């Protein structure tokens, strides 16, 4: 009814205004990032053996829930990949990054407030262990971003129904494969939320974020090289 009245008055519908469209996208990104980071942090804090499955599952359902509105990034590295691939512009990318990181930080503290504090010491990686963890994050963040671009943005797969499963299972596979090495983060928002509540050292955080953003940019470049006609 509101849309009818708006059209009759000659004014644009609220949902068609640029700021309203952008606001919906940022809200969806914040919600998805929050539940992803909260699930990961709560699973780790409660010593769950099923953290990889929980992370992959919540990412999958949040992508299906909000992918039609924002693209379902929930990850600054994926947003970087979409930016380099040419799917979004710098302004939208910056808004997504703010929404994702703020939501991740809030989610980390929410998980800490709800779950009993972790008693294990914060890992301070150095030397070979830090190198191995950083490379693990680089490789699987690249895999995640590469999968996202191919199943969710490629013109060769329009309207497929499996994109959420493919993306969620990529995260689960990576967490199972290298979770014992790096923690299986693959996402700067997850890194920020978990580091802020003491699950990682801040020195580790910076290595992870650089590796993850580089991986996202690399995935975007690789997609463009392999799909030169997909603009």
């Amino acid at each position: 009814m509101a849309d009818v009245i708006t059209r009759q008055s000659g004014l644009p519908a609220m949902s068609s205004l640029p700021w309203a469209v952008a606001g919906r996208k940022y809200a969806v990104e914040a919600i998805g990032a929050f539940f992803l980071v909260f699930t990961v942090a709560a699973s780790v804090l409660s010593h769950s053996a099923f953290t990889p499955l929980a992370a992959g599952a919540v990412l999958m359902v949040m992508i299906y829930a909000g992918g039609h509105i924002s693209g379902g990034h929930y990850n600054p590295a994926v947003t970087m990949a979409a930016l380099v691939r040419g799917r979004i512009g710098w302004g939208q990318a910056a808004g997504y990054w703010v929404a994702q990181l703020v939501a991740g930080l809030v989610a980390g503290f929410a998980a800490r407030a709800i779950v009993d504090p972790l008693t294990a010491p914060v890992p301070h990686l150095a030397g070979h262990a830090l190198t191995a963890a950083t490379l693990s994050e680089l490789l699987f963040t690249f895999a995640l971003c590469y999968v996202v671009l191919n199943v969710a943005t490629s013109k060769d797969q329009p309207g497929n129904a499996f994109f959420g499963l493919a993306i969620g299972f990529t995260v689960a596979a990576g967490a199972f494969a290298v979770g014992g090495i790096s923690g299986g983060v693959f996402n700067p928002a997850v890194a920020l939320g978990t580091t802020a509540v003491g699950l990682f050292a801040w020195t580790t955080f910076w290595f992870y974020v650089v590796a993850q953003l580089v991986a996202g940019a690399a995935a975007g470049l690789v997609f463009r090289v392999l799909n030169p006609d997909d603009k």
Side-chain angles (χ1 to χ4, degrees):
M1 179 61 72
D3 287 343
V4 173
I5 293 174
T6 302
R7 286 196 296 270
Q8 290 176 343
S9 68
L11 298 175
M14 288 290 288
S15 61
S16 67
L17 294 174
W19 62 264
V21 173
R24 290 175 65 226
K25 292 180 178 181
Y26 301 151
V28 168
E29 284 296 307
I31 291 169
F34 175 89
F35 280 102
L36 173 58
V37 178
F38 179 83
T39 299
V40 172
S43 296
V44 173
L45 287 167
S46 60
H47 306 280
S48 173
F50 298 101
T51 299
L53 286 177
V58 74
L59 178 58
M60 176 189 68
V61 298
M62 285 297 153
I63 287 172
Y64 281 126
H68 63 291
I69 297 175
S70 71
H73 296 186
Y74 315 138
N75 182 337
V78 171
T79 299
M80 175 65 80
L83 175 64
V84 174
R85 180 248 195 273
R87 195 69 170 184
I88 61 175
W90 279 102
Q92 185 175 344
Y96 276 27
W97 285 329
V98 171
Q100 293 156 356
L101 292 172
V102 171
L105 192 61
V106 173
F109 284 111
R112 171 64 82 181
I114 292 171
V115 183
D116 288 337
L118 187 67
T119 56
V122 177
H124 293 271
L125 301 176
H128 175 72
L130 180 58
T131 300
T134 303
L135 289 175
S136 297
E137 290 294 312
L138 179 70
L139 290 172
F140 271 101
T141 304
F142 173 87
L144 171 60
C145 295
Y146 178 74
V147 169
V148 170
L149 294 180
N150 279 280
V151 302
T153 75
S154 174
K155 69 178 183 180
D156 295 327
Q157 302 196 71
N160 72 75
F162 60 76
F163 63 97
L165 283 166
I167 297 167
F169 272 112
T170 303
V171 169
F176 276 121
V178 299
I181 300 172
S182 70
V185 179
F186 320 139
N187 183 333
V190 174
L192 178 61
T194 53
T195 301
V197 297
L199 296 177
F200 291 96
W202 283 105
T203 51
T204 303
F205 167 78
W206 296 112
F207 278 92
Y208 278 20
V209 168
V210 170
Q212 291 157 0
L213 292 178
V214 168
L221 289 173
V222 169
F223 182 90
R224 294 182 65 170
V225 170
L226 296 179
N227 303 272
D229 297 326
D230 194 341
K231 303 299 184 181

